[in-house]
Amino acid sequence: MNDTAKIPHIKSVETRHLEERERLFRGLQHLDRRSFLKVSTGAAAAAVAAGVSNHFHSFLPVNVAYAADGAGAPGFTFAYISDSHLYVKQTNERFVRQLLRAVDDVNKLDPQPDFVFFGGDLAQLGRKEELDLGAQILKSLKAPLHMMVGEHDWFFDMGHRWNELFGAQTYSFDHKGVHFVVLMSVQEKDFWSARGMSPAERMHTVAGLDNAVQSAFEVGATQREWLRKDLEKVPKSTPLIVFSHSPLYKLYRPWNFWTDDAEDVQALLQRFDRVTVLHGHTHQVLTNRIGNIQFHGMLSTAWPWPYAPQGMPALTVQMNRPNPFDSNDGLGDGTIAVHPDGLVDMLYGLWNRDPMQVKASYLSSGGKSDIPVAPTLASY
């Protein structure tokens, strides 16, 4: 007998990875709530094998403690997932696993949130395959879903597939005494037609952020007029929560962490007693206040982003730079409590780090009281 026949077949690490990867995407093709647990459990097991903590949470539950009937009215909770940046499966599956984990986290909440909000950049390059994959994963959520578009979802086909999947990109709704507004804040002036750019070239330009070719993000005159009319029917005492993908203030133009007509939008919000703006896009802890408006940046499920070298809001207590050798560091979860007086306490649950709390009293005092404890993890 040939001795080599006795040697067991050993698969390489690369082969095992590719086989597991193929099983993951086969499972996603016909994903429903019944089969979701099997797929997400497999993705979590693969993440643990790769050294990713199973305690990582990538959703953001938001506690709203105010309703129209006054301070004694019961609050409610909604979950927040943002910035998953899905590629086609041939390019990257890590972000798919992280979005699966986020959905699993939300589905495990007990009691379930009233709804789930997705904060934009579901896709990375706006391709139909990326958006369809994201929609397939998100349909496994138990709670109702509200969507917001990001620039990575839009500029390949100018929102055609997004609108087919999710409907209008600008809308409002009322829920238990709170008026919610969802804005498409990543409009751009046409930089592509005169240059003869293809859809792919336009999308890659916008996705790059830090270039001198594209224009600044804006809400735009048409949408501002829509917002003015929408808010006409809302009493000034009604708590207002606004979702925008880009921050509704001017943070750092070279990276397009910026909304060009932010002041015009802020002016439409000034008459309200309590306004909170929640935004994605920046992938980091951000805290700001302008007049009656409180701003909070959310964490990403895909990757963290470094802070800009200038223009940081004075009230932001920065999280340390994430470990470049740990692809999941700098991601996390948190809670937002909106009080009866409209002020906001926010808890950032940074993965593998001490949590960071930003209290309403810190904002209202201009940073003089209840200063958040800065993270103690050494920077890199």
Side-chain angles (χ1 to χ4, degrees), residues 18-83:
L18 290 174
E19 289 177 348
E20 190 282 326
R21 185 177 185 274
E22 186 60 32
R23 287 195 297 271
L24 169 67
F25 281 100
R26 276 203 310 269
L28 291 174
Q29 289 176 1
H30 304 289
L31 190 66
D32 55 26
R33 289 180 185 172
R34 180 174 296 179
S35 62
F36 174 81
L37 184 60
K38 181 177 180 181
V39 175
S40 64
T41 301
V48 171
V52 179
S53 170
N54 201 31
H55 296 294
F56 164 64
H57 298 287
S58 46
F59 71 94
L60 185 62
V62 185
N63 300 320
V64 181
Y66 182 89
D69 294 335
F76 62 92
T77 298
F78 66 92
Y80 188 107
I81 303 171
S82 190
D83 290 86

Side-chain angles (χ1 to χ4, degrees), residues 52-58 98 101 105 300-301 328 331-332 351:
V52 179
S53 170
N54 201 31
H55 296 294
F56 164 64
H57 298 287
S58 46
Q98 291 166 183
R101 190 177 300 115
D105 286 341
S300 166
T301 69
N328 290 274
L331 309 178
W351 174 57

Side-chain angles (χ1 to χ4, degrees), residues 2-21:
N2 189 338
D3 289 341
T4 59
K6 300 178 181 180
I7 300 175
H9 176 65
I10 300 175
K11 294 181 180 179
S12 69
V13 172
E14 292 85 355
T15 298
R16 293 201 305 269
H17 167 73
L18 290 174
E19 289 177 348
E20 190 282 326
R21 185 177 185 274

Side-chain angles (χ1 to χ4, degrees), residues 287 289 314-317 358-373:
T287 305
R289 181 180 179 182
L315 293 176
T316 296
V317 176
V358 182
K359 291 186 176 181
S361 52
Y362 171 69
L363 284 164
S364 61
S365 67
K368 295 179 180 179
S369 65
D370 290 321
I371 299 172
V373 177

Side-chain angles (χ1 to χ4, degrees), residues 1-314:
M1 178 182 291
N2 189 338
D3 289 341
T4 59
K6 300 178 181 180
I7 300 175
H9 176 65
I10 300 175
K11 294 181 180 179
S12 69
V13 172
E14 292 85 355
T15 298
R16 293 201 305 269
H17 167 73
L18 290 174
E19 289 177 348
E20 190 282 326
R21 185 177 185 274
E22 186 60 32
R23 287 195 297 271
L24 169 67
F25 281 100
R26 276 203 310 269
L28 291 174
Q29 289 176 1
H30 304 289
L31 190 66
D32 55 26
R33 289 180 185 172
R34 180 174 296 179
S35 62
F36 174 81
L37 184 60
K38 181 177 180 181
V39 175
S40 64
T41 301
V48 171
V52 179
S53 170
N54 201 31
H55 296 294
F56 164 64
H57 298 287
S58 46
F59 71 94
L60 185 62
V62 185
N63 300 320
V64 181
Y66 182 89
D69 294 335
F76 62 92
T77 298
F78 66 92
Y80 188 107
I81 303 171
S82 190
D83 290 86
S84 58
H85 292 272
L86 301 179
Y87 285 89
V88 294
K89 69 176 184 179
Q90 294 87 350
T91 303
N92 182 312
E93 82 275 7
R94 177 166 62 86
F95 298 163
V96 172
R97 299 182 193 281
Q98 291 166 183
L99 181 57
L100 282 167
R101 190 177 300 115
V103 171
D104 192 34
D105 286 341
V106 172
N107 283 344
K108 288 178 179 176
L109 289 175
D110 185 17
Q112 273 288 287
D114 283 23
F115 61 87
V116 183
F117 189 85
F118 189 87
D121 284 350
L122 179 64
Q124 171 64 10
L125 296 174
R127 300 302 180 108
K128 178 181 184 297
E129 297 84 354
E130 297 171 346
L131 291 167
D132 288 353
L133 176 59
Q136 182 76 2
I137 295 172
L138 291 175
K139 79 175 186 180
S140 297
L141 286 162
K142 295 177 181 178
L145 176 66
H146 293 283
M147 297 291 294
M148 179 170 67
V149 72
E151 79 278 7
H152 288 264
D153 307 314
W154 189 263
F155 281 94
F156 178 72
D157 63 1
M158 303 306 289
H160 176 73
R161 185 55 179 163
W162 176 276
N163 292 146
E164 286 183 340
L165 288 170
F166 305 117
Q169 68 272 13
T170 304
Y171 60 99
S172 65
F173 61 97
D174 295 291
H175 187 75
K176 295 184 178 178
V178 178
H179 188 66
F180 290 86
V181 174
V182 182
L183 295 175
M184 197 290 198
S185 66
V186 291
Q187 305 275 3
E188 292 203 25
K189 292 182 172 62
D190 186 346
F191 62 82
W192 51 88
S193 294
R195 293 180 170 88
M197 287 184 170
S198 68
E201 289 171 331
R202 175 178 60 207
M203 181 69 257
H204 278 274
T205 300
V206 174
L209 287 181
D210 53 343
N211 58 70
V213 176
Q214 68 187 103
S215 69
F217 291 143
E218 63 180 13
V219 172
T222 300
Q223 201 173 186
R224 293 198 309 271
E225 178 60 17
W226 173 91
L227 178 62
R228 185 188 66 79
K229 291 181 178 178
D230 179 77
L231 295 179
E232 279 182 348
K233 64 180 183 294
V234 182
K236 66 184 291 290
S237 60
T238 301
L240 186 64
I241 294 180
V242 179
F243 294 107
S244 68
H245 186 66
S246 59
L248 288 182
Y249 57 92
K250 295 176 176 177
L251 178 57
Y252 188 59
R253 178 62 181 88
W255 292 349
N256 230 350
F257 285 9
W258 187 277
T259 304
D260 220 28
D261 54 354
E263 293 90 348
D264 295 325
V265 178
Q266 292 167 19
L268 295 172
L269 307 177
Q270 286 297 329
R271 75 177 180 87
F272 290 89
D273 296 334
R274 295 166 292 275
V275 183
T276 300
V277 175
L278 306 178
H279 68 83
H281 186 59
T282 56
H283 298 207
Q284 61 194 197
V285 175
L286 277 174
T287 305
N288 195 12
R289 181 180 179 182
I290 301 174
N292 65 320
I293 308 172
Q294 297 183 4
F295 301 86
H296 294 278
M298 303 299 178
L299 302 174
S300 166
T301 69
W303 68 81
W305 196 272
Y307 284 103
Q310 62 187 51
M312 287 299 300

